[in-house]
Every structure is written in structure tokens, then in C-alpha cells.
Amino acid sequence: AVDPEPLVSAIIADGDLAPYGAPDGLVNAADVLIAQRIVLGLINPPTAQDLAHGDVYPPGAPDGVINLSDLLLIQKMVLNLP
């Protein structure tokens, strides 16, 4: 009777997906690659933790999927674009 993913709902969508299954607190190129693999269906299905971190679009109102919009926003964050 132990929650396998405690406090997932408290995770803020920040784009931090890598290393896969154990986010490191940094948003970098590795996170873009993990998001890309999720979008392409190479990593399936994303866990609740992945969704909590990677569902960044629309900002402040996650839609429950990691899709191309999320991937592009994570890439924008990594490249530090306005």
C-alpha cells in the first residue's frame, strides 16, 4: 500500500524529462530528445511523472498528453528563445 509515484501532482510542468524515469532538475538537450521519443511513440506510454514534467503546453493548463506542442516549447526553453 505504498504510492509508487508520491506527490506527482505537486510536480510543476518544467520540461525536465531526462534522464528518463529520474529527472535531474535541469532542462537541456537530453530533455528534448526524451520528449521527441515520447512524441514519436518510441517511449510508450509516458508515466504520470513524465506527464507532470513534460506536459508544458498550454502553459498552466496541461492537456494530459506530451505532443508536438510540448516538444517545441521544451526545445524553445533549452535554446533560451523568447
Side-chain angles (χ1 to χ4, degrees):
V2 175
D3 186 356
E5 296 185 44
L7 303 175
V8 167
S9 64
I11 297 172
I12 297 173
D14 56 5
D16 183 20
L17 294 166
Y20 187 62
D24 59 6
L26 303 171
V27 179
N28 53 33
D31 301 297
V32 173
L33 294 175
I34 295 294
Q36 183 180 50
R37 291 177 58 90
I38 291 171
V39 169
L40 292 173
L42 300 174
I43 298 174
N44 196 20
T47 66
Q49 177 176 297
D50 297 329
L51 284 174
H53 280 285
D55 187 11
V56 295
Y57 187 86
D63 57 7
V65 294
I66 297 175
N67 55 27
L68 184 58
S69 298
D70 300 299
L71 171 60
L72 293 174
L73 188 55
I74 293 168
Q75 184 174 357
K76 183 178 174 182
M77 292 176 351
V78 168
L79 296 174
N80 201 23
L81 298 173

Coordinates of all heavy atoms in Angstrom, one line a residue:
A1 N 0.8 -1.2 0.0 CA 0.0 0.0 0.0 C 0.9 1.3 0.0 O 0.6 2.2 0.7 CB -0.9 0.0 1.2
V2 N 1.9 1.3 -0.8 CA 2.8 2.4 -0.9 C 2.6 3.1 -2.3 O 2.5 2.4 -3.3 CB 4.3 2.0 -0.8 CG1 5.2 3.2 -1.0 CG2 4.5 1.4 0.6
D3 N 2.4 4.4 -2.3 CA 2.2 5.1 -3.6 C 3.5 5.0 -4.4 O 4.6 5.5 -3.9 CB 1.9 6.6 -3.3 CG 1.6 7.4 -4.5 OD1 1.6 6.8 -5.6 OD2 1.2 8.5 -4.3
P4 N 3.5 4.4 -5.6 CA 4.7 4.3 -6.4 C 5.3 5.6 -6.9 O 6.4 5.7 -7.3 CB 4.3 3.3 -7.5 CG 2.9 3.5 -7.6 CD 2.4 3.8 -6.2
E5 N 4.4 6.6 -7.0 CA 4.8 7.9 -7.5 C 4.2 9.0 -6.6 O 3.3 9.7 -7.0 CB 4.3 8.1 -9.0 CG 4.9 7.1 -9.9 CD 4.5 7.3 -11.3 OE1 4.5 8.5 -11.8 OE2 4.2 6.4 -12.0
P6 N 4.8 9.1 -5.4 CA 4.3 10.1 -4.5 C 4.4 11.5 -5.0 O 5.4 11.9 -5.6 CB 5.1 9.8 -3.2 CG 6.4 9.2 -3.7 CD 6.0 8.4 -5.0
L7 N 3.4 12.3 -4.7 CA 3.4 13.7 -4.9 C 3.6 14.1 -6.4 O 4.1 15.2 -6.7 CB 4.5 14.4 -4.1 CG 4.4 14.2 -2.6 CD1 5.6 14.9 -1.9 CD2 3.1 14.8 -2.0
V8 N 3.2 13.2 -7.3 CA 3.3 13.5 -8.7 C 2.5 14.8 -9.0 O 2.9 15.6 -9.8 CB 2.9 12.3 -9.6 CG1 2.6 12.8 -11.0 CG2 3.9 11.2 -9.5
S9 N 1.4 14.9 -8.4 CA 0.5 16.1 -8.7 C 1.2 17.4 -8.3 O 0.8 18.5 -8.7 CB -0.8 16.0 -8.0 OG -0.7 15.9 -6.6
A10 N 2.2 17.3 -7.4 CA 2.9 18.5 -6.9 C 4.0 18.9 -7.8 O 4.6 20.0 -7.7 CB 3.4 18.3 -5.5
I11 N 4.3 18.1 -8.8 CA 5.4 18.4 -9.8 C 4.9 19.5 -10.7 O 3.8 19.4 -11.3 CB 5.8 17.2 -10.6 CG1 6.4 16.1 -9.6 CG2 6.9 17.6 -11.6 CD1 6.7 14.8 -10.3
I12 N 5.7 20.5 -10.9 CA 5.4 21.6 -11.8 C 5.9 21.2 -13.2 O 7.0 20.8 -13.4 CB 6.1 22.9 -11.4 CG1 5.5 23.3 -10.0 CG2 5.9 24.0 -12.4 CD1 6.1 24.5 -9.4
A13 N 5.1 21.4 -14.2 CA 5.5 21.1 -15.6 C 6.6 22.0 -16.0 O 6.5 23.2 -16.1 CB 4.3 21.4 -16.6
D14 N 7.8 21.5 -16.1 CA 9.0 22.3 -16.3 C 9.9 21.8 -17.5 O 10.9 22.3 -17.8 CB 9.9 22.3 -15.1 CG 10.3 20.9 -14.6 OD1 9.9 19.9 -15.3 OD2 10.9 20.8 -13.5
G15 N 9.4 20.7 -18.1 CA 10.2 20.2 -19.3 C 11.3 19.2 -18.9 O 12.0 18.8 -19.8
D16 N 11.5 18.9 -17.6 CA 12.6 18.1 -17.2 C 12.2 16.6 -17.3 O 11.5 16.1 -16.4 CB 13.0 18.5 -15.8 CG 14.1 17.7 -15.2 OD1 14.9 17.2 -16.0 OD2 14.3 17.7 -14.0
L17 N 12.6 16.0 -18.4 CA 12.3 14.6 -18.6 C 13.5 13.6 -18.5 O 13.3 12.4 -18.5 CB 11.7 14.4 -20.0 CG 10.3 15.1 -20.2 CD1 10.0 15.2 -21.7 CD2 9.2 14.4 -19.4
A18 N 14.7 14.2 -18.5 CA 15.9 13.3 -18.5 C 16.7 13.4 -17.3 O 16.7 14.5 -16.7 CB 16.7 13.7 -19.8
P19 N 17.4 12.4 -16.9 CA 17.4 11.0 -17.5 C 16.0 10.4 -17.4 O 15.3 10.7 -16.4 CB 18.4 10.2 -16.7 CG 19.0 11.1 -15.7 CD 18.3 12.4 -15.8
Y20 N 15.6 9.6 -18.4 CA 14.2 9.1 -18.4 C 14.0 8.3 -17.1 O 14.7 7.4 -16.7 CB 14.1 8.2 -19.6 CG 12.7 7.7 -19.9 CD1 11.7 8.6 -20.1 CD2 12.4 6.3 -19.8 CE1 10.4 8.2 -20.3 CE2 11.1 5.9 -20.0 CZ 10.1 6.8 -20.2 OH 8.8 6.4 -20.4
G21 N 12.9 8.7 -16.5 CA 12.5 8.0 -15.3 C 13.1 8.6 -14.0 O 12.7 8.2 -12.9
A22 N 14.0 9.5 -14.1 CA 14.6 10.1 -12.9 C 15.1 11.5 -13.3 O 16.3 11.8 -13.4 CB 15.8 9.3 -12.5
P23 N 14.2 12.5 -13.5 CA 14.6 13.8 -13.9 C 15.6 14.4 -12.9 O 15.6 14.2 -11.7 CB 13.2 14.6 -13.8 CG 12.2 13.6 -13.9 CD 12.7 12.3 -13.3
D24 N 16.5 15.2 -13.5 CA 17.7 15.7 -12.8 C 17.6 17.1 -12.3 O 18.5 17.7 -11.8 CB 19.0 15.4 -13.5 CG 19.0 16.1 -14.9 OD1 18.0 16.9 -15.2 OD2 19.9 15.9 -15.7
G25 N 16.5 17.8 -12.6 CA 16.4 19.2 -12.3 C 16.9 20.2 -13.3 O 16.8 21.4 -13.1
L26 N 17.4 19.7 -14.4 CA 17.9 20.5 -15.5 C 17.1 20.3 -16.7 O 16.7 19.2 -17.0 CB 19.4 20.2 -15.8 CG 20.4 20.3 -14.6 CD1 21.7 19.7 -15.0 CD2 20.5 21.7 -14.1
V27 N 16.9 21.4 -17.5 CA 16.2 21.3 -18.7 C 17.3 21.5 -19.8 O 17.8 22.6 -19.9 CB 15.0 22.3 -18.9 CG1 14.4 22.1 -20.3 CG2 14.0 22.0 -17.8
N28 N 17.6 20.5 -20.6 CA 18.7 20.6 -21.5 C 18.3 19.7 -22.8 O 17.2 19.2 -22.9 CB 20.0 20.2 -20.9 CG 20.0 18.8 -20.2 OD1 19.2 17.9 -20.7 ND2 20.7 18.6 -19.1
A29 N 19.3 19.5 -23.6 CA 19.1 18.8 -24.9 C 18.6 17.4 -24.6 O 17.8 16.8 -25.4 CB 20.4 18.8 -25.7
A30 N 19.0 16.7 -23.5 CA 18.6 15.4 -23.2 C 17.1 15.4 -23.0 O 16.4 14.4 -23.4 CB 19.3 14.8 -22.0
D31 N 16.5 16.4 -22.5 CA 15.1 16.5 -22.3 C 14.3 16.6 -23.6 O 13.3 16.1 -23.8 CB 14.7 17.7 -21.3 CG 15.4 17.5 -20.0 OD1 15.1 16.6 -19.3 OD2 16.2 18.4 -19.6
V32 N 14.9 17.4 -24.5 CA 14.3 17.5 -25.9 C 14.3 16.1 -26.5 O 13.3 15.7 -27.1 CB 15.1 18.5 -26.7 CG1 14.6 18.5 -28.2 CG2 15.0 19.9 -26.1
L33 N 15.4 15.4 -26.4 CA 15.5 14.0 -27.0 C 14.4 13.1 -26.4 O 13.8 12.3 -27.2 CB 16.9 13.5 -26.9 CG 17.9 14.2 -27.7 CD1 19.3 13.7 -27.4 CD2 17.6 14.2 -29.2
I34 N 14.3 13.1 -25.1 CA 13.3 12.3 -24.5 C 11.9 12.7 -24.9 O 11.0 11.8 -25.3 CB 13.4 12.3 -22.9 CG1 14.7 11.8 -22.4 CG2 12.2 11.6 -22.3 CD1 14.9 10.3 -22.7
A35 N 11.6 14.0 -25.0 CA 10.3 14.5 -25.4 C 10.0 14.0 -26.9 O 8.9 13.6 -27.2 CB 10.2 16.0 -25.3
Q36 N 11.1 14.1 -27.7 CA 11.0 13.7 -29.1 C 10.6 12.2 -29.2 O 9.7 11.8 -30.0 CB 12.3 14.0 -29.8 CG 12.2 13.7 -31.3 CD 13.5 14.0 -32.0 OE1 14.6 13.5 -31.5 NE2 13.5 14.7 -33.0
R37 N 11.2 11.4 -28.4 CA 11.0 9.9 -28.4 C 9.5 9.6 -27.9 O 8.9 8.7 -28.4 CB 12.0 9.2 -27.5 CG 13.4 9.2 -28.1 CD 14.4 8.5 -27.2 NE 14.1 7.2 -27.0 CZ 14.5 6.1 -27.7 NH1 15.2 6.3 -28.7 NH2 14.1 4.9 -27.3
I38 N 9.1 10.4 -27.0 CA 7.7 10.2 -26.5 C 6.7 10.6 -27.6 O 5.8 9.9 -27.9 CB 7.4 11.1 -25.2 CG1 8.2 10.5 -24.0 CG2 5.9 11.1 -24.9 CD1 8.2 11.3 -22.8
V39 N 6.9 11.8 -28.3 CA 6.1 12.3 -29.3 C 6.0 11.3 -30.5 O 5.0 11.0 -31.1 CB 6.5 13.7 -29.8 CG1 5.8 14.1 -31.1 CG2 6.2 14.7 -28.7
L40 N 7.2 10.7 -30.8 CA 7.3 9.7 -31.9 C 6.7 8.3 -31.6 O 6.6 7.4 -32.4 CB 8.7 9.6 -32.4 CG 9.3 10.8 -33.1 CD1 10.8 10.7 -33.4 CD2 8.5 11.2 -34.4
G41 N 6.4 8.1 -30.3 CA 5.8 6.9 -29.8 C 6.9 5.8 -29.6 O 6.6 4.6 -29.5
L42 N 8.2 6.2 -29.5 CA 9.2 5.3 -29.2 C 9.3 4.9 -27.7 O 9.9 3.9 -27.4 CB 10.6 5.8 -29.7 CG 10.6 6.1 -31.2 CD1 11.9 6.8 -31.6 CD2 10.4 4.9 -32.0
I43 N 8.8 5.8 -26.9 CA 8.7 5.5 -25.4 C 7.2 5.6 -25.2 O 6.6 6.6 -25.3 CB 9.4 6.6 -24.6 CG1 10.9 6.6 -24.9 CG2 9.2 6.4 -23.1 CD1 11.7 7.7 -24.2
N44 N 6.7 4.5 -24.8 CA 5.2 4.4 -24.6 C 4.9 3.5 -23.5 O 5.4 2.4 -23.3 CB 4.6 3.9 -25.9 CG 3.2 4.1 -26.1 OD1 2.6 5.0 -25.4 ND2 2.5 3.4 -26.9
P45 N 3.9 3.8 -22.7 CA 3.3 5.2 -22.6 C 4.1 6.0 -21.6 O 4.8 5.5 -20.7 CB 1.9 4.8 -22.0 CG 2.1 3.6 -21.2 CD 3.2 2.8 -21.9
P46 N 4.0 7.3 -21.7 CA 4.7 8.1 -20.7 C 4.0 7.9 -19.3 O 2.8 7.7 -19.2 CB 4.4 9.6 -21.1 CG 3.5 9.5 -22.3 CD 3.3 8.1 -22.7
T47 N 4.9 7.9 -18.3 CA 4.4 7.7 -16.9 C 3.7 9.0 -16.4 O 3.8 10.1 -17.0 CB 5.5 7.4 -16.0 OG1 6.4 8.5 -15.9 CG2 6.3 6.2 -16.4
A48 N 3.1 8.9 -15.3 CA 2.4 10.1 -14.6 C 3.5 11.1 -14.3 O 3.3 12.3 -14.5 CB 1.7 9.7 -13.4
Q49 N 4.7 10.7 -13.9 CA 5.8 11.6 -13.7 C 6.2 12.3 -15.0 O 6.4 13.5 -15.0 CB 7.0 10.9 -13.1 CG 8.2 11.8 -12.9 CD 9.3 11.1 -12.2 OE1 9.2 10.7 -11.1 NE2 10.5 11.0 -12.9
D50 N 6.3 11.6 -16.1 CA 6.7 12.2 -17.4 C 5.6 13.3 -17.7 O 6.0 14.4 -18.2 CB 6.7 11.2 -18.5 CG 7.8 10.1 -18.3 OD1 8.8 10.4 -17.6 OD2 7.5 9.0 -18.7
L51 N 4.4 12.9 -17.6 CA 3.3 13.9 -17.9 C 3.4 15.1 -17.0 O 3.2 16.2 -17.5 CB 1.9 13.2 -17.8 CG 1.5 12.3 -18.9 CD1 0.2 11.6 -18.6 CD2 1.5 13.0 -20.3
A52 N 3.7 14.9 -15.8 CA 3.7 16.0 -14.8 C 4.9 17.0 -15.2 O 4.7 18.2 -15.1 CB 3.9 15.5 -13.4
H53 N 6.0 16.4 -15.7 CA 7.1 17.3 -16.1 C 7.0 17.8 -17.5 O 7.4 18.9 -17.8 CB 8.4 16.5 -15.9 CG 8.9 16.5 -14.5 ND1 9.5 17.5 -13.9 CD2 9.0 15.4 -13.6 CE1 9.9 17.2 -12.7 NE2 9.6 15.9 -12.5
G54 N 6.6 16.9 -18.4 CA 6.7 17.2 -19.9 C 5.5 17.8 -20.5 O 5.6 18.3 -21.6
D55 N 4.3 17.8 -19.9 CA 3.1 18.4 -20.5 C 3.1 19.9 -20.2 O 2.4 20.3 -19.2 CB 1.9 17.7 -19.9 CG 0.6 18.1 -20.6 OD1 0.7 18.8 -21.6 OD2 -0.5 17.8 -20.1
V56 N 3.9 20.6 -20.9 CA 4.1 22.0 -20.6 C 3.3 23.0 -21.5 O 3.3 24.2 -21.3 CB 5.6 22.4 -20.8 CG1 6.5 21.7 -19.8 CG2 6.1 22.1 -22.2
Y57 N 2.5 22.4 -22.4 CA 1.7 23.3 -23.3 C 0.3 22.8 -23.3 O 0.0 21.6 -23.4 CB 2.2 23.2 -24.7 CG 1.5 24.2 -25.6 CD1 1.9 25.5 -25.7 CD2 0.3 23.9 -26.3 CE1 1.3 26.5 -26.5 CE2 -0.3 24.8 -27.1 CZ 0.1 26.1 -27.1 OH -0.5 27.0 -27.9
P58 N -0.7 23.7 -23.1 CA -0.5 25.1 -22.9 C 0.0 25.4 -21.5 O -0.4 24.7 -20.5 CB -1.9 25.7 -23.1 CG -2.9 24.5 -22.9 CD -2.1 23.3 -23.2
P59 N 0.8 26.4 -21.3 CA 1.3 26.8 -20.0 C 0.2 27.0 -19.0 O -0.7 27.7 -19.2 CB 2.1 28.1 -20.3 CG 2.4 28.1 -21.7 CD 1.2 27.4 -22.4
G60 N 0.4 26.3 -17.8 CA -0.5 26.5 -16.7 C -1.8 25.7 -16.9 O -2.6 25.7 -16.0
A61 N -2.0 25.0 -18.0 CA -3.2 24.2 -18.2 C -2.9 23.0 -19.0 O -3.2 22.9 -20.2 CB -4.2 25.1 -19.0
P62 N -2.2 22.0 -18.4 CA -1.8 20.8 -19.1 C -3.0 20.1 -19.7 O -4.1 20.1 -19.1 CB -1.1 20.0 -18.1 CG -1.5 20.5 -16.8 CD -1.9 22.0 -17.0
D63 N -2.8 19.5 -20.9 CA -3.9 18.8 -21.6 C -3.8 17.3 -21.5 O -4.6 16.6 -22.1 CB -3.9 19.2 -23.1 CG -2.6 19.0 -23.8 OD1 -1.7 18.3 -23.2 OD2 -2.5 19.4 -25.0
G64 N -2.9 16.8 -20.7 CA -2.8 15.4 -20.4 C -2.0 14.5 -21.4 O -2.0 13.3 -21.3
V65 N -1.4 15.2 -22.4 CA -0.5 14.4 -23.3 C 0.8 15.2 -23.6 O 0.8 16.4 -23.4 CB -1.2 14.2 -24.7 CG1 -2.4 13.3 -24.6 CG2 -1.6 15.6 -25.3
I66 N 1.8 14.5 -24.0 CA 3.0 15.1 -24.4 C 3.0 15.0 -25.9 O 3.1 13.9 -26.5 CB 4.3 14.4 -23.8 CG1 4.2 14.6 -22.3 CG2 5.6 15.1 -24.4 CD1 5.4 13.9 -21.6
N67 N 2.9 16.1 -26.6 CA 2.7 16.1 -28.1 C 3.7 17.1 -28.7 O 4.6 17.6 -28.0 CB 1.3 16.4 -28.5 CG 0.7 17.7 -27.9 OD1 1.5 18.6 -27.6 ND2 -0.6 17.7 -27.7
L68 N 3.5 17.4 -30.0 CA 4.5 18.2 -30.7 C 4.5 19.6 -30.1 O 5.6 20.2 -30.0 CB 4.1 18.3 -32.2 CG 5.0 19.1 -33.1 CD1 6.4 18.6 -33.0 CD2 4.4 19.1 -34.5
S69 N 3.4 20.2 -29.6 CA 3.4 21.5 -28.9 C 4.3 21.5 -27.7 O 5.0 22.4 -27.5 CB 2.0 21.9 -28.6 OG 1.2 22.0 -29.7
D70 N 4.3 20.4 -26.9 CA 5.1 20.3 -25.7 C 6.6 20.2 -26.2 O 7.4 20.9 -25.6 CB 4.7 19.1 -24.9 CG 3.3 19.2 -24.4 OD1 3.0 20.1 -23.7 OD2 2.5 18.3 -24.8
L71 N 6.9 19.4 -27.2 CA 8.2 19.2 -27.6 C 8.8 20.6 -28.1 O 9.9 20.9 -27.7 CB 8.3 18.2 -28.8 CG 9.6 18.1 -29.5 CD1 10.7 17.6 -28.6 CD2 9.4 17.1 -30.7
L72 N 8.0 21.3 -28.9 CA 8.5 22.6 -29.4 C 8.8 23.6 -28.2 O 9.7 24.3 -28.3 CB 7.6 23.2 -30.4 CG 7.5 22.4 -31.7 CD1 6.3 23.0 -32.6 CD2 8.8 22.4 -32.4
L73 N 7.9 23.6 -27.2 CA 8.1 24.5 -26.1 C 9.3 24.1 -25.3 O 10.1 25.0 -24.8 CB 6.8 24.6 -25.2 CG 6.8 25.6 -24.1 CD1 7.1 27.0 -24.7 CD2 5.5 25.6 -23.4
I74 N 9.5 22.8 -25.1 CA 10.7 22.4 -24.3 C 12.0 22.7 -25.1 O 13.0 23.2 -24.6 CB 10.7 20.8 -24.1 CG1 9.5 20.5 -23.1 CG2 12.0 20.3 -23.5 CD1 9.2 19.0 -23.0
Q75 N 12.0 22.6 -26.4 CA 13.1 23.0 -27.3 C 13.3 24.5 -27.2 O 14.5 24.9 -27.1 CB 12.8 22.6 -28.7 CG 14.0 22.8 -29.6 CD 13.7 22.3 -31.0 OE1 12.7 21.7 -31.3 NE2 14.7 22.6 -31.9
K76 N 12.3 25.2 -27.2 CA 12.4 26.7 -27.0 C 13.0 27.0 -25.7 O 13.9 27.9 -25.6 CB 11.0 27.3 -27.1 CG 11.0 28.8 -27.1 CD 9.6 29.3 -27.2 CE 9.5 30.8 -27.0 NZ 8.2 31.3 -27.2
M77 N 12.7 26.3 -24.6 CA 13.2 26.6 -23.3 C 14.7 26.3 -23.3 O 15.5 27.0 -22.7 CB 12.5 25.8 -22.2 CG 11.1 26.2 -22.0 SD 10.0 25.3 -20.9 CE 10.9 23.8 -20.4
V78 N 15.1 25.2 -23.9 CA 16.5 24.8 -24.0 C 17.3 25.8 -24.7 O 18.4 26.1 -24.3 CB 16.6 23.3 -24.5 CG1 18.1 23.0 -24.9 CG2 16.0 22.3 -23.6
L79 N 16.8 26.2 -25.8 CA 17.5 27.2 -26.7 C 17.5 28.6 -26.1 O 18.1 29.5 -26.7 CB 17.0 27.2 -28.1 CG 17.2 25.8 -28.8 CD1 16.5 25.9 -30.2 CD2 18.7 25.6 -29.0
N80 N 16.7 28.8 -25.0 CA 16.5 30.1 -24.4 C 16.0 31.2 -25.3 O 16.5 32.3 -25.4 CB 17.8 30.5 -23.7 CG 17.6 31.6 -22.6 OD1 16.5 31.6 -22.1 ND2 18.6 32.3 -22.4
L81 N 15.0 30.8 -26.1 CA 14.4 31.7 -27.0 C 13.2 32.4 -26.4 O 12.5 31.9 -25.5 CB 13.8 30.9 -28.3 CG 14.9 30.2 -29.1 CD1 14.2 29.4 -30.2 CD2 15.9 31.2 -29.7
P82 N 12.9 33.7 -26.8 CA 11.8 34.4 -26.2 C 10.4 33.8 -26.6 O 10.3 33.1 -27.5 CB 12.0 35.8 -26.8 CG 12.9 35.7 -27.9 CD 13.6 34.4 -27.8

